[in-house]
């Protein structure tokens, strides 16, 4: 399906029909253009995707919109975000099983725009209405602003949440090992899996790589692709060599002990087992969404403590993850239907209403970007939630921008397969282990962009 840019431009210039949202502090960095708000008169019918755990929150938001607009109907469709994206990938946006509004992870937006699956969203108007964004284009909102195939720059999703890895600490296990949790944990100092991270998975592994600025794949302004892991070992900068040495030493310890940490299937379960109170792990990384599962391993959370990702260092450099997040997207099939577009954007505005940030976090485990850290701290959320949110925001602020170009998708298996190949090749040194990494990335680069 091809974008009809004349229709989109017309829709974007119309006054948006939005429900009465709670209005936070307006942001001068958000343009006042296209920001007219009409709170009544919505009509039509739309479907909105929600995960099972999100349904209650979504239904309450839909009710608020419909109560104010009796001619509007919003149906909540319970389906996981990734199952919905799988359906979209294997069919097309006209498939009625794909809802009118759905959530997408930040790294999927470029591919979905290339597929012509998303409608442009009047994000500036929504941001102006809901409020709370200190600098919209410098956050997740700006990351969703991209050029389509015709070179027109538009927003293709509205910020749903931010996400970043944090550190979970087991206080009981730390006490058993006489580890001071107030001090930074140097990854290279621990040799008995006191730190358990499934580093073969790039989602976690990049937190180590980013500490030294290792770029698995970059795209230059002139469209060329580059990777640090195609350099010769002697040409790799010392800090980057240190990270490879840390990865290799970590693999060697676990290979010698015969653990399953470097197993693509069993590695995650091993991380859980090791972090359970009474076992060896003191530190592990995860997201805010992992809290309940991790708490169950630590005496119902009594032994659990949370810290920013920077609590763990490699060669003295703090771990850094990516500035991750999710957005609300509109199915491109709605372009040209004024009623549906207005209703879709009204629903997004209500879902992003900061007046309901506590319920949003409780039901979804996600953190609104347009709510300040101090507002979370002053809320009625449990202390454990406040701590999780506090350190997620801190880690997010220290994180690197996430690569979003579609070719980066080839990095995941390239990196994973290279690291796991050590189980077979049994490298005798970090330099030999790097040779396996380099061979994999050389192969990837020979095919990139083709």
């Amino acid at each position: 399906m091809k974008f009809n840019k004349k229709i989109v431009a017309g829709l974007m210039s119309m006054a948006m029909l939005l429900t009465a949202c709670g209005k936070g502090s307006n942001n001068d960095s958000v343009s006042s253009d296209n920001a007219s708000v009409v709170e009544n008169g919505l009509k039509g019918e739309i479907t909105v995707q929600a995960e099972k755990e999100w349904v209650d929150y979504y239904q309450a938001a839909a009710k608020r919109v419909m109560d104010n607009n009796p001619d509007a109907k919003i149906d909540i469709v319970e389906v996981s975000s990734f199952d919905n994206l799988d359906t979209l990938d294997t069919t097309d946006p006209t498939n009625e099983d794909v809802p009118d509004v759905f959530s997408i992870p930040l790294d999927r937006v470029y591919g979905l725009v290339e597929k012509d699956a998303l409608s442009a969203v009047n994000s500036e108007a929504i941001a102006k209405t809901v409020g709370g964004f200190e600098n919209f284009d410098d956050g997740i909102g700006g990351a969703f602003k991209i050029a389509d195939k015709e070179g027109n720059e538009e927003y293709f999703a509205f910020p749903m949440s931010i996400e970043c890895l944090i550190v979970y600490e087991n206080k009981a296990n730390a006490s058993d090992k006489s580890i001071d949790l107030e001090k930074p944990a140097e990854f290279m100092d621990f040799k008995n899996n006191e730190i358990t991270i499934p580093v073969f998975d790039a989602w976690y592994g990049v937190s180590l790589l980013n500490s030294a600025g290792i770029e698995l794949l970059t795209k230059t302004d002139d469209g060329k692709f580059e990777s640090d892991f195609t350099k010769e070992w002697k040409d790799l900068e010392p800090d980057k060599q240190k990270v490879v040495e840390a990865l290799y030493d970590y693999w060697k310890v676990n290979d010698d002990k015969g653990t399953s940490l470097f197993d693509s299937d069993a590695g995650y379960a091993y991380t859980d087992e090791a972090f359970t109170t009474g076992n060896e792990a003191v530190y592990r990384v995860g997201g805010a969404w992992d809290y309940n599962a991790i708490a169950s391993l630590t005496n119902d959370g009594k032994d659990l403590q949370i810290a920013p990702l920077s609590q763990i260092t490699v060669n003295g450099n703090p771990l850094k993850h990516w500035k991750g997040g999710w957005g609300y997207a509109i199915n491109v099939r709605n372009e040209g239907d004024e009623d549906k577009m207005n209703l879709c954007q009204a629903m997004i505005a209500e879902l992003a209403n900061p007046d309901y940030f506590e319920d949003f976090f409780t039901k979804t485990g996600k953190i609104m970007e347009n709510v300040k850290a101090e507002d979370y701290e002053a809320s009625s959320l449990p202390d454990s939630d406040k701590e999780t949110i506090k350190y997620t925001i801190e880690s997010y602020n220290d994180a690197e921008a996430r690569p979003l170009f579609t070719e980066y998708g080839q990095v995941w298996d390239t990196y994973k397969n290279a690291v796991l190949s050590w189980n077979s090749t049994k490298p005798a040194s970090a330099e030999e282990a790097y040779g396996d990494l380099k061979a994999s990335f050389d192969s990837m680069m020979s095919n990139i962009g083709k």
Side-chain angles (χ1 to χ4, degrees):
M1 180 177 291
K2 191 68 176 175
F3 284 120
N4 186 330
K5 283 295 142 187
K6 291 183 179 179
I7 291 176
V8 174
L11 285 171
M12 293 302 100
S13 66
M14 289 178 181
M16 285 178 56
L17 300 173
L18 300 177
T19 187
C21 295
K23 296 177 176 60
S25 58
N26 283 338
N27 173 18
D28 291 338
S29 69
V30 176
S31 170
S32 61
D33 294 341
N34 301 330
S36 299
V37 175
V38 178
E39 298 177 343
N40 300 292
L42 290 166
K43 58 185 178 179
E45 182 175 352
I46 62 169
T47 54
V48 181
Q49 172 267 330
E51 303 260 354
K52 179 179 180 180
E53 296 79 6
W54 307 352
V55 168
D56 288 348
Y57 180 83
Y58 276 57
Q59 286 178 336
K63 184 178 185 300
R64 292 193 294 272
V65 176
M66 291 187 292
D67 283 350
N68 201 48
N69 298 276
D71 292 329
K73 184 178 180 183
I74 302 172
D75 294 314
I76 306 303
V77 179
E78 182 183 315
V79 59
S80 81
S81 301
F82 289 108
D83 285 348
N84 179 60
L85 290 172
D86 286 344
T87 300
L88 185 54
D89 285 342
T90 55
T91 59
D92 62 68
T94 63
N95 185 340
E96 291 185 0
D97 289 334
V98 180
D100 297 304
V101 176
F102 50 89
S103 58
I104 62 170
L106 179 59
D107 65 311
R108 292 297 300 272
V109 66
Y110 273 76
L112 290 169
V113 169
E114 289 181 0
K115 183 182 171 70
D116 289 342
L118 305 182
S119 170
V121 179
N122 195 343
S123 289
E124 290 189 343
I126 299 175
K128 198 77 173 180
T129 299
V130 301
F133 293 95
E134 291 188 356
N135 198 324
F136 189 75
D137 275 351
D138 283 350
I140 293 293
F144 286 123
K145 186 179 184 180
I146 59 178
D148 64 22
K149 291 178 179 178
E150 297 167 351
N152 301 295
E153 195 171 58
E154 302 275 12
Y155 297 97
F156 286 96
F158 186 82
M160 177 184 188
S161 62
I162 61 170
E163 65 182 21
C164 193
L165 293 180
I166 55 177
V167 173
Y168 289 94
E169 301 171 333
N170 190 312
K171 295 183 289 186
N173 291 354
S175 178
D176 289 344
K177 293 177 175 289
S178 300
I179 293 175
D180 185 356
L181 295 178
E182 297 302 313
K183 296 180 179 178
E186 171 54 50
F187 190 87
M188 299 177 77
D189 289 346
F190 293 107
K191 305 299 181 183
N192 293 297
N193 281 353
E194 291 90 349
I195 300 176
T196 53
I197 305 175
V199 295
F200 62 84
D201 183 338
W203 173 251
Y204 299 96
V206 294
S207 61
L208 279 77
L209 304 179
N210 285 345
S211 71
I214 293 175
E215 298 284 4
L216 295 179
L217 185 65
T218 58
K219 189 174 184 179
T220 63
D221 291 340
D222 58 358
K224 294 181 180 178
F225 295 98
E226 298 176 348
S227 173
D228 279 334
F229 279 174
T230 59
K231 296 178 180 178
E232 297 296 331
W233 174 256
K234 63 181 176 59
D235 297 324
L236 196 65
E237 294 86 337
D239 275 356
K240 296 177 182 181
Q241 287 187 353
K242 285 288 186 182
V243 170
V244 175
E245 290 169 4
L247 288 172
Y248 169 76
D249 289 346
Y250 196 44
W251 167 81
K252 188 69 167 62
V253 165
N254 282 277
D255 188 59
D256 289 346
K257 289 184 175 183
T259 78
S260 57
L261 181 57
F262 281 76
D263 183 292
S264 61
D265 296 320
Y268 306 101
Y270 177 83
T271 299
D272 288 341
E273 179 184 354
F275 194 71
T276 301
T277 295
N279 293 337
E280 65 265 33
V282 173
Y283 306 92
R284 64 173 292 172
V285 300
W289 56 90
D290 293 319
Y291 179 86
N292 289 336
I294 292 176
S296 70
L297 308 173
T298 56
N299 193 17
D300 291 327
K302 296 182 181 67
D303 299 331
L304 188 60
Q305 181 170 298
I306 302 171
L309 190 58
S310 58
Q311 182 69 11
I312 300 175
T313 61
V314 179
N315 193 34
N317 298 316
L319 298 195
K320 291 183 180 181
H321 200 231
W322 282 325
K323 293 184 186 291
W326 286 71
Y328 301 108
I330 298 177
N331 193 315
V332 73
R333 68 172 177 242
N334 293 305
E335 289 185 355
D337 189 322
E338 178 183 343
D339 290 337
K340 280 183 175 288
M341 285 298 296
N342 287 329
L343 188 53
C344 286
Q345 293 180 119
M347 181 60 178
I348 290 172
E350 192 58 39
L351 289 170
N353 188 341
D355 285 354
Y356 300 95
F357 74 88
E358 292 184 40
D359 195 38
F360 180 75
F361 181 80
T362 300
K363 298 291 175 37
T364 69
K366 293 185 179 294
I367 300 167
M368 287 186 179
E369 183 183 16
N370 56 324
V371 177
K372 296 182 183 297
E374 51 265 34
D375 292 331
Y376 280 109
E377 184 61 31
S379 73
S380 60
L381 290 169
D383 289 343
S384 58
D385 287 349
K386 292 179 182 179
E387 195 174 50
T388 302
I389 294 166
K390 172 185 176 181
Y391 290 123
T392 298
I393 293 173
E394 182 175 331
S395 299
Y396 177 87
N397 289 337
D398 291 338
E400 300 289 339
R402 182 170 185 171
L404 297 178
F405 49 91
T406 54
E407 292 83 359
Y408 201 88
Q410 298 181 47
V411 165
W412 300 99
D413 285 343
T414 299
Y415 172 83
K416 181 179 181 179
N417 293 337
V419 173
L420 293 179
S421 74
W422 298 342
N423 294 327
S424 301
T425 61
K426 305 293 184 185
S429 66
E431 185 172 353
E432 284 188 20
Y434 178 74
D436 293 328
L437 286 166
K438 185 179 185 305
S440 291
F441 277 85
D442 281 341
S443 177
M444 182 189 80
M445 295 299 288
S446 68
N447 295 298
I448 203 85
K450 295 182 179 179

